[in-house]
Amino acid sequence: MRTDCHQHLWPTAFVDALRNRTQTPRLNGWELLIDGEAPYAVDPLAHDTDVRRTRETREGKDQVLLSLSSPLGIEHLPFDEARELIEIWHRSALELGDPFLVWAATPVSEFDLDGLAQILDYDRVVGLQLPATALADPEAIHRMRPILDVVQAADKPLLIHPGPAPVTAGTPSWWPALVPYVAQLHASWLAWHAVGRAQHPTLRVAFVALAGLAPLHHERLAARGGTFGAVDPLVYYETSSYDTRAIDATIRVVGVDPIIHGSDRPYAEPRDPGLGHAFTHALFSANPQHLLKGTPR
C-alpha cells in the first residue's frame, strides 16, 4: 500500500465557492488571493481531477490523502463562513473516488463537534487536519481539547499543517513558506511536547514538513531547561519539501518509524530520499499505515 499522506486538490465545487467570495480567501479566475501572501497564479491542471488521478496511478500510488490548504485561513474564519466552505470541501472531496482519501477540516473560531464526529465516521475520511496556528502554545492545546477529544475517540489521526501567514510587507514570495510556516510548526510541536501528549495519551499526530525540523532543536530544548525525553511513538513526521539531508538528520533524532511520505503536491513534488530499500518501504508504505490504522509494529 503506497501512500502519499499530504496533497492538495480542489474539486470544482470548492473552486466555485472560492470564486464566489468577495473577501479573502478567494479566487479571481485562477488567481488566489489570501492575506499574508502575494497573489498566486494557480495552475488549472493542478486541480484537474482526471489529470491528477492519471498521474498518481502512473506513479504507483494506492492512496493519496487530500487536505484543505490551511494557509487559506478557512478554519479561522467566522463560524458560519468556515462551516459552509468546509462542508463544500468535504462533500466535493469525498466524491473524487480512488486513489483519493480525505483529511477532514473543522472551524476553530467556534467548534462544530457534532459535525466533526459525523464526518470522521466516513470510511474515506482518514482523520482531521488542523492549522498549526490553532495549536500555537500550551493554552491553545488546552482550548482545542474538545476537538482533539473527538478525534481521539474516533481512533483516527491528526495532521498539523501550517496555517495562514501574517501580513508582512517587502518580503519575497518564498517568505511565508520559510519563515511563518516553519515557526508555526515549531511552536505547535513544542506545545504538543509540553502538554499535548499528557492531555491526549492515545492520539496519533503527524506534523507536515518534518515539523519544520523542530526535533533537531532537542539539544537547545535541554540546554534551556526543557526535557526531550523518550521519542513519542505516536508522533509522526511527514517529509514534504525536504530531501535526503533533512530527512537523515531527523531520523538521527527520532528514528525511522515515525517518518512518513507526503509530497504537498501541487506545491512540491514527491521525493524518494534514496536511503535504501528498507527505508523506502517504511516511508511510503509501512509507516503511513501505522499512522492511519494504529496497528502494532
Side-chain angles (χ1 to χ4, degrees), residues 1-5 62 256-257 259-261 271-290 297:
M1 185 66 70
R2 193 174 177 90
T3 302
D4 188 327
C5 295
D62 299 291
V256 168
D257 289 348
I259 311 299
I260 59 173
H261 169 68
R271 290 180 171 89
D272 184 339
L275 294 173
H277 174 75
F279 179 72
T280 297
H281 174 73
L283 176 69
F284 287 91
S285 300
N287 294 350
Q289 292 310 304
H290 292 137
R297 295 187 181 276

Side-chain angles (χ1 to χ4, degrees), residues 221-232:
L221 172 65
R224 295 299 177 127
T227 303
F228 182 66
V231 173
D232 188 330

Side-chain angles (χ1 to χ4, degrees), residues 117-140:
Q118 290 170 12
I119 197 65
L120 287 175
D121 197 43
Y122 280 71
D123 289 340
R124 299 190 69 81
V125 172
V126 298
L128 175 68
Q129 177 186 269
L130 283 176
T133 41
L135 302 162
D137 53 42
E139 184 57 36

